[in-house]
Amino acid sequence: MPANFLAALRREPSGGTPVWFMRQAGRYQAEYREIRAKHSLLEICALPDVCTEVTLLPVRQLGVDAAILFSDITVPLLAIGIDLRIEENVGPIIAEPFAGAKDLVRLRDLAPSEDEPFLEATVRQIVKELGPTPLIGFAGGPFTLASYLVEGGPSRQYLKVKGLMWQDPALFRRLLERLADLTFKHLAAQAAAGAAALQIFDSWVGSLTPHDFALHVLPVMQDLFARLRALGVPTIYFGVDTAGILPLMAKAGADALGVDWRIDLDAAWRLAGTRHAIQGNLDPALLLGPWSEVEGGVRRVLAAAGSRPGHIFNLGHGVLPKTSPEILRRVVDLVHEARAET
Amino acid sequence: MPANFLAALRREPSGGTPVWFMRQAGRYQAEYREIRAKHSLLEICALPDVCTEVTLLPVRQLGVDAAILFSDITVPLLAIGIDLRIEENVGPIIAEPFAGAKDLVRLRDLAPSEDEPFLEATVRQIVKELGPTPLIGFAGGPFTLASYLVEGGPSRQYLKVKGLMWQDPALFRRLLERLADLTFKHLAAQAAAGAAALQIFDSWVGSLTPHDFALHVLPVMQDLFARLRALGVPTIYFGVDTAGILPLMAKAGADALGVDWRIDLDAAWRLAGTRHAIQGNLDPALLLGPWSEVEGGVRRVLAAAGSRPGHIFNLGHGVLPKTSPEILRRVVDLVHEARAET
C-alpha cells in the first residue's frame, strides 16, 4: 500500500512518508529521451496521449506516491498567444519581452477550454490511467513567470524584473495580478479535470529580499492561494534559495511549502510553522554520488522530519539529467522501508 | 571623522556604522575602465602602482571607511603555476581542471615573497598612501577555489566538485587543506605588509547542505581561522545563499560574517550569535533603482542592525557594473548621516 500523499498534505497520518520527485519525468529516462526525439517539450504538453505516457512513466518505474502533470510553466503563456520558445539547455526565450504598461494587454484572460483544450483532456486521461495514485497539477508562480517575461529568458541576477518592481511598483503589481489570474485559471482547469493537489513552482522568488517579497509578491500570492482554496484541493508552494523568506512564504496560504537543500528540513519547518506540511529536501546532486552517500542523505532528511505528520519526501529541486533511474527507485524504496522500520 | 571599521569588527563603539562595498573598485568606474583598456585584470593585480591607484579610487571618490586590496581569488593559484585565465563576463577558466590525487602535487606550497613578489610591495604602497584608512586583505575560500579548480570554471550546480566530495572525501579534504594553506600564506603576507583586516570570499559555500558544509568544509575553515587568529588581525567570512548555514559558518572562527540580501540582517545576526560582527546586506541590484528605493533599503538595513555594535554596512554581493558612482557616494553619505541622527 502506498504512503498517502494527500493525507500528508493535510498533516494527517499517512502510513509513512510519501515520496515523489520534481521533474520525475525527464531526460534522465531513456524512454523520455526516445519520445523527445520525436516531439518537442511543448508538443508533449499539448498531446494528451504522449503527455499521459510521459507523466505515468515515473509512477510505473519508480513507485512514487504521486504523479505530477508533465508540463512547463510557459504553457498557459503560450495559450494566450505569448510568442516564446524553449531553447535546449537554456530555457524559455520570449520573443518580445514585457517592457511596459502597453504590454499588459497581451496578458489577456485565459479560457482553458478554448485556449488549451488539450489540458483538461490530458488531466482526465492521466487521472483515469493512474487509478488511486493522486495527480499533482502544475503551474508557475507569478513572480517567476514575470521574471521570464521581463528578462526575456532565464537570468542570473533578475536585474530587469527587479528594476520594474522598484521603478513602477503599481505596474509590477498589475503584471503579477494578471499572471496570478492566469495561474489560477490554469490550475482550476486541472483541478476540475481531477488533479488532486496543486503545486506552484515559484522557483526564483528566493532572489528577493524578505522586504521585497513581503511588499510586492506576498499579497498577490495570498489572493491566489485564497482563490485556490475555494477549489477544495490542497496546495504546495515551492521555491529555491528561500531560507530567508520561509516565514513569509508561510503566510501565503498554501498547505505545504517545498524547500531546497540549503537549509535543514527541521530548521525549515521551524520557520514555516506547524500549520504547514513540508516537502523536500535532498540535494539532487547527491543522486550522482555513491549509494552509501545517497542513503545517508535520505536518512538524514527523514530524521530531520522526525515523526511529525506532514512530511513529503522530495528533492530540493528537479531531477538532474545524469541521474540513474535505478538510484531514484532505490530512494523510493528506502523512504518506504524507513517508514516500515518506524 | 570616518566611522571606525576596525572597532566595528571588534564589536566596539565605532562612532557610527562603517561602510565599504565589495568590488568597490571595478567596471562601474570610468577611471577603472580606462585602466582596464590598458591592462588585464590580472596585470593590474601584479603591478603595484596600478593596483594601488585602482584600490584607492573608491576611497577617494566615495568616502568609504575601508579599502580592499584590488585582486582576484585566482592570484595565488597563478603564483604557484596553475594555468588559468580570466574570461571577460565569464570568470576564471582553468586549463587543466583538478581531476584526482595526481593533481595535488600541482598545488605546491606558496612562498609569497618569491611567487608573488608584487603582493607585499603593493600592500605596503597602498597602506602608505591610505593613511589612517584601513586596508582589507583579500583571498578566496578553499571550497570556492576548489570549485573553480575541479569544475574548470564557473558553475551553476557544482556537480563535479560535489561529486569529488562524495566520491572521495579524503582526497577532497586534502585538496581543501592544500588550498587553505595557500589562502593562509597569501593572507599572512598581506597582514605582514600592513593589511589591517582580512576577508575570505567563500562565495559558493552556500551551494552545500548544512550537513556537507559541517562535515567537509567547516573543519578546514576552523583550522584556517585559527591560524589567521595568530596574525592578530580581524577576519571576515563571506558567502552568498548562506541563510541555511549561518549557524555553522559562525563556528568557523571569523570575527565577522558577511551575508547577502536574501535574509533580514537581524535574522542573520540571531543565527550568527552575538559574538560576531555582521557585514551587509543591501541587494546590489537595488542600486540600479530610483534613489527613493535605495534610501529605503539602506534605512531598513540600518534599522535591522539596530543599535548593536558590530555592524559594517556593505552590499550582499559585489557592486554591479551598471551602478552609478554617484549613487554609491550617496549611500555612503546616508549611512554616515544616519549615524549622526542617532
Side-chain angles (χ1 to χ4, degrees):
Chain A
M1 205 185 77
N4 193 323
F5 167 74
L6 296 173
L9 274 180
R10 293 186 301 260
R11 287 167 295 117
E12 293 169 3
S14 54
T17 304
V19 50
W20 68 281
F21 304 109
M22 290 184 281
R23 217 179 295 151
Q24 63 188 9
R27 275 188 285 167
Y28 78 94
Q29 296 164 303
E31 297 84 350
Y32 175 83
R33 292 193 298 270
E34 266 179 48
I35 293 167
R36 281 285 274 108
K38 287 176 272 182
H39 302 287
S40 74
L41 192 157
L42 293 173
E43 279 170 8
I44 295 173
C45 300
L47 293 168
D49 285 347
V50 184
C51 189
T52 299
E53 184 184 351
V54 169
T55 298
L56 265 64
L57 268 178
V59 180
R60 291 171 176 160
Q61 291 184 339
L62 307 177
V64 288
D65 299 303
I68 181 160
L69 177 70
F70 181 85
S71 189
D72 186 82
I73 66 169
T74 60
V75 166
L77 292 173
L78 269 172
I80 59 165
I82 303 291
D83 185 6
L84 63 88
R85 63 196 163 81
I86 311 275
E87 196 168 308
E88 197 72 24
N89 299 318
V90 176
I93 305 293
I94 311 292
E96 294 176 59
F98 183 93
K102 67 172 173 36
D103 293 324
L104 278 176
V105 68
R106 290 160 56 197
L107 296 170
R108 67 165 174 82
D109 279 353
L110 174 73
S113 57
E114 292 161 36
D115 297 324
E116 44 185 14
F118 55 85
L119 182 67
E120 281 198 38
T122 305
V123 170
R124 286 192 198 286
Q125 186 170 341
I126 294 170
V127 169
K128 191 177 165 193
E129 295 198 22
L130 271 173
T133 305
L135 175 69
I136 306 167
F138 179 117
F143 175 79
T144 297
L145 292 173
S147 81
Y148 287 110
L149 281 177
V150 176
E151 303 284 342
S155 175
R156 278 188 60 220
Q157 299 177 313
Y158 306 99
L159 300 183
K160 288 178 188 165
V161 68
K162 288 183 179 180
L164 174 65
M165 180 177 78
W166 292 317
Q167 290 284 353
D168 194 341
L171 175 59
F172 181 76
R173 174 65 65 92
R174 285 165 70 201
L175 171 59
L176 288 201
E177 286 171 350
R178 290 307 300 144
L179 293 168
D181 188 67
L182 185 85
T183 294
F184 171 74
K185 286 171 177 154
H186 190 61
L187 287 172
Q190 296 173 54
L198 302 170
Q199 173 155 328
I200 292 186
F201 290 81
D202 210 359
S203 307
W204 314 136
V205 284
S207 65
L208 297 173
T209 64
H211 172 82
D212 285 321
F213 178 78
L215 185 66
H216 298 291
V217 178
L218 181 56
V220 177
M221 297 312 297
Q222 288 173 325
D223 287 351
L224 174 55
F225 279 111
R227 289 179 78 186
L228 291 172
R229 185 158 299 278
L231 302 175
V233 172
T235 53
I236 308 166
Y237 189 28
F238 167 76
V240 295
D241 282 354
T242 59
I245 60 170
L246 276 176
L248 294 166
M249 288 178 77
K251 294 181 180 177
D255 295 289
L257 295 179
V259 296
D260 77 4
W261 64 91
R262 293 179 179 87
I263 182 168
D264 280 328
L265 193 85
D266 47 346
W269 219 325
R270 280 195 300 275
L271 291 172
T274 52
R275 290 187 306 175
H276 284 82
I278 291 283
Q279 180 172 281
N281 71 342
L282 195 74
D283 184 348
L286 184 60
L287 298 178
L288 309 182
W291 173 251
S292 60
E293 291 290 323
V294 177
E295 181 177 356
V298 171
R299 290 193 189 279
R300 277 192 298 278
V301 169
L302 293 170
S307 53
R308 283 173 283 205
H311 177 220
I312 296 145
F313 191 97
N314 207 315
L315 307 180
H317 209 171
V319 176
L320 295 165
K322 288 186 180 168
T323 306
S324 145
E326 176 60 19
I327 288 280
L328 284 175
R329 215 186 43 73
R330 290 180 76 178
V331 170
V332 171
D333 289 347
L334 179 58
V335 173
H336 287 164
E337 282 161 23
R339 158 189 63 184
E341 288 163 17
T342 58
Chain B
M1 205 185 78
N4 193 322
F5 167 73
L6 296 173
L9 274 181
R10 292 187 300 261
R11 286 167 294 115
E12 294 169 3
S14 53
T17 304
V19 49
W20 68 279
F21 304 109
M22 291 184 281
R23 218 179 294 149
Q24 63 189 6
R27 273 188 286 165
Y28 77 93
Q29 298 164 302
E31 298 85 348
Y32 176 83
R33 293 193 297 270
E34 266 179 48
I35 293 167
R36 280 286 274 107
K38 287 177 272 181
H39 302 287
S40 74
L41 192 157
L42 293 172
E43 279 171 7
I44 295 173
C45 301
L47 291 168
D49 285 348
V50 184
C51 189
T52 299
E53 184 183 351
V54 170
T55 298
L56 266 64
L57 268 177
V59 180
R60 290 171 177 160
Q61 291 184 338
L62 307 177
V64 289
D65 299 303
I68 183 161
L69 177 69
F70 182 84
S71 189
D72 186 82
I73 66 169
T74 61
V75 166
L77 293 173
L78 270 172
I80 60 166
I82 302 292
D83 185 7
L84 63 88
R85 64 195 162 82
I86 311 274
E87 196 169 307
E88 198 72 23
N89 299 319
V90 177
I93 305 293
I94 312 292
E96 294 176 59
F98 183 92
K102 67 172 173 38
D103 293 324
L104 278 176
V105 69
R106 289 160 56 197
L107 296 169
R108 66 165 175 81
D109 280 354
L110 174 72
S113 58
E114 291 161 36
D115 297 324
E116 43 185 16
F118 55 84
L119 182 67
E120 281 198 41
T122 304
V123 171
R124 285 191 200 286
Q125 186 171 340
I126 294 169
V127 168
K128 191 176 162 194
E129 295 198 22
L130 271 174
T133 305
L135 175 69
I136 305 167
F138 179 115
F143 176 79
T144 297
L145 292 173
S147 80
Y148 287 110
L149 281 176
V150 176
E151 304 283 343
S155 175
R156 278 188 61 221
Q157 298 178 313
Y158 306 99
L159 300 183
K160 289 179 189 166
V161 67
K162 288 184 179 180
L164 174 66
M165 180 177 79
W166 292 317
Q167 290 284 353
D168 193 341
L171 174 59
F172 180 76
R173 175 65 66 90
R174 285 165 71 201
L175 171 60
L176 287 201
E177 286 171 350
R178 292 305 301 143
L179 293 169
D181 189 68
L182 185 85
T183 293
F184 171 74
K185 285 169 178 158
H186 189 61
L187 288 172
Q190 296 174 55
L198 302 169
Q199 173 154 328
I200 292 185
F201 290 80
D202 210 359
S203 308
W204 315 136
V205 283
S207 65
L208 297 173
T209 64
H211 172 82
D212 285 321
F213 178 78
L215 185 66
H216 298 291
V217 177
L218 181 56
V220 177
M221 296 312 298
Q222 289 173 324
D223 287 351
L224 174 56
F225 279 111
R227 290 178 77 185
L228 291 172
R229 186 158 298 279
L231 301 175
V233 172
T235 53
I236 307 165
Y237 189 28
F238 167 76
V240 294
D241 282 351
T242 58
I245 60 169
L246 276 176
L248 295 166
M249 288 179 76
K251 295 181 179 176
D255 295 290
L257 295 180
V259 296
D260 77 4
W261 63 90
R262 292 179 180 87
I263 182 169
D264 281 328
L265 193 85
D266 47 348
W269 218 325
R270 281 196 299 276
L271 291 172
T274 52
R275 290 187 307 173
H276 284 83
I278 291 284
Q279 180 172 282
N281 71 342
L282 195 75
D283 184 348
L286 185 59
L287 298 179
L288 309 183
W291 172 251
S292 60
E293 291 290 322
V294 177
E295 181 177 354
V298 171
R299 290 192 189 279
R300 277 192 298 277
V301 169
L302 292 170
S307 52
R308 283 173 283 203
H311 177 221
I312 297 145
F313 191 96
N314 207 314
L315 308 179
H317 209 173
V319 176
L320 295 165
K322 287 186 181 170
T323 306
S324 145
E326 176 60 19
I327 288 282
L328 283 175
R329 214 184 47 71
R330 290 180 75 177
V331 170
V332 171
D333 289 348
L334 178 58
V335 173
H336 287 165
E337 282 162 22
R339 157 189 64 185
E341 288 163 19
T342 58

